[in-house]
Amino acid sequence: MDTVRKILADPISRLRLAGLFEGSTLLFLVLIAVPMKHLAGYPAIVSAAGPVHGLAFVFYVVCLFDNLSGGGWSPREMLRTGFACLVPFGTFINDRYLAAKAANQTAGL
């Protein structure tokens, strides 16, 4: 329980969590739900997973703006993190970068 509070209290940790959730829902849609809809005739799975992914995307964008408003981000970092949610596997690749940024911020305190 204490670990959850710690993650939710830190903006970068919150962004990492949002990124992993958003990336997971995107992959589920692209790799499972859409093929099931078109190849197996199960459109309900996209109808259920689509709104979940939409909420995950909004959560990611809110967390992103929360981090960017705090300052300390270069334009390149902002673009990289912003575009990561638009590409399958992007948030997973960007997570390594965010973990290093969080470690640098912690070490700098």
Side-chain angles (χ1 to χ4, degrees):
M1 189 68 162
D2 194 38
T3 305
V4 173
R5 284 192 187 122
K6 187 176 180 181
I7 289 171
L8 294 177
D10 179 43
I12 289 186
S13 295
R14 215 173 21 248
L15 179 61
R16 290 181 66 202
L17 178 68
L20 295 176
F21 184 56
E22 192 278 337
S24 298
T25 60
L26 177 61
L27 287 178
F28 180 79
L29 274 172
V30 171
L31 299 176
I32 296 171
V34 172
M36 289 290 289
K37 175 182 179 178
H38 293 289
L39 299 176
Y42 292 110
I45 195 165
V46 173
S47 298
V52 173
H53 172 67
L55 287 173
F57 179 78
V58 169
F59 180 53
Y60 182 83
V61 171
V62 167
C63 290
L64 177 63
F65 279 110
D66 181 38
N67 276 273
L68 299 181
S69 67
W73 290 70
S74 72
R76 183 178 178 173
E77 292 172 322
M78 288 186 242
L79 285 173
R80 175 190 174 123
T81 306
F83 283 120
C85 67
L86 302 176
V87 180
F89 298 102
T91 55
F92 299 111
I93 294 167
N94 196 51
D95 185 63
R96 178 183 288 169
Y97 165 77
L98 291 176
K101 185 166 180 71
N104 288 339
Q105 284 185 348
T106 304
L109 292 177

